[in-house]
Amino acid sequence: MRPLFQMLWTSIRGSKKVICGLASEKQEDLTTIKELVEAGKIKAIIDKCYPLEQAAEAHRYVEAGHKKGHVVITVA
């Protein structure tokens, strides 16, 4: 619930518009989200990418409160 309240607070107090998309495991829902992303209507903000071997470092980065977007763990 905390992320939802943060998004609401950001929309009310900030100058940024926050959109939350929740998807079930239905194929048609996932296809719709894919199409929205491809059309540029949904944009993911990626702050940093870490390889799997640095997952602990990525976790520390997030917990320290420095992230400005999503932190991605890449698996080779």
Side-chain angles (χ1 to χ4, degrees), residues 11-68:
S11 292
I12 292 170
R13 300 288 297 165
S15 61
K16 304 234 183 225
K17 182 177 180 182
V18 178
I19 299 171
C20 177
L22 301 175
S24 64
E25 295 179 11
K26 295 180 184 174
Q27 180 64 38
E28 60 267 12
D29 293 340
L30 295 175
T31 301
T32 301
I33 291 174
K34 174 184 163 274
E35 290 169 356
L36 289 170
V37 170
E38 288 174 344
K41 295 185 179 189
I42 296 177
K43 182 179 177 184
I45 307 298
I46 298 174
D47 183 358
K48 286 191 171 192
C49 295
Y50 290 90
L52 182 59
E53 296 79 23
Q54 294 179 355
E57 183 178 332
H59 192 273
R60 283 191 291 274
Y61 179 75
V62 171
E63 290 295 315
H66 299 300
K67 75 180 195 98
K68 303 289 186 222

